Amino acid sequence: MLEARGMTLVIEPCPVHENNMITFIPEAYYVMRRVGRPSVGIMADTYSMQFGYERMSEIAAYGDAIRHLHFSAPNHRIPHEKDGYDYSDFFSALHEMHYADTLTIEAFHDGDFEKQVNEAFKLLKNGLGELY
């Protein structure tokens, strides 16, 4: 059904305080493999990964299955270069796997939304470089 419509279903691991089933990328990968359909993949969420102490290298390790990414700062705010967090492992994983699928910022904002989004785009542009 999904294949016929050109759709993809992604499995999102969520932190243990939000769910008790799939909390890490390897668990999502196991379920994805059991389903065995090319239209099923994984969505990695950097907030969930950081909350669960999952290494960003898991993104590259399961790169063939990652179809979508949610990106946010560890405090679930809009990420930017001066927020005090190091995103180099995240960007290294994307470069290692030559990621070219979708990536969205899923985060809360406080204050000037337009300014924060522009700062996030700058971070993404610098981190992604030639990938996009």
Side-chain angles (χ1 to χ4, degrees), residues 1 14-15 20 29 31-32 39-40 50-51 58-59 62 64 73-74 80 83 97 99 105 115 119 128 130:
M1 179 179 199
C14 293
N20 64 355
Y29 187 78
V31 172
M32 183 200 83
S39 58
V40 177
Q50 293 162 17
F51 195 93
E58 293 291 303
I59 293 172
Y62 293 90
D64 62 321
H80 58 88
D83 63 12
M97 62 189 274
Y99 187 74
I105 295 173
K115 179 182 177 190
E119 290 173 352
L128 295 172
E130 74 282 348

Side-chain angles (χ1 to χ4, degrees), residues 75-78 80 107-116:
N75 62 359
H76 218 193
R77 298 288 183 227
I78 296 175
H80 58 88
F108 297 104
H109 76 91
D110 45 5
D112 187 339
F113 176 74
E114 187 174 340
K115 179 182 177 190
Q116 291 177 17

Side-chain angles (χ1 to χ4, degrees), residues 25-66:
I25 290 174
E27 294 168 337
Y29 187 78
Y30 173 79
V31 172
M32 183 200 83
R33 298 290 294 172
R34 295 279 299 173
V35 171
R37 307 292 303 191
S39 58
V40 177
I42 298 171
M43 182 187 77
D45 184 323
T46 61
Y47 169 74
S48 298
M49 293 176 71
Q50 293 162 17
F51 195 93
Y53 304 103
E54 193 166 16
R55 295 180 322 273
M56 292 296 142
S57 60
E58 293 291 303
I59 293 172
Y62 293 90
D64 62 321
I66 304 292

Side-chain angles (χ1 to χ4, degrees), residues 81-94:
E81 291 178 331
K82 298 177 184 169
D83 63 12
Y85 299 108
D86 180 5
Y87 301 105
S88 59
D89 288 346
F90 171 70
F91 290 121
S92 292
L94 298 187

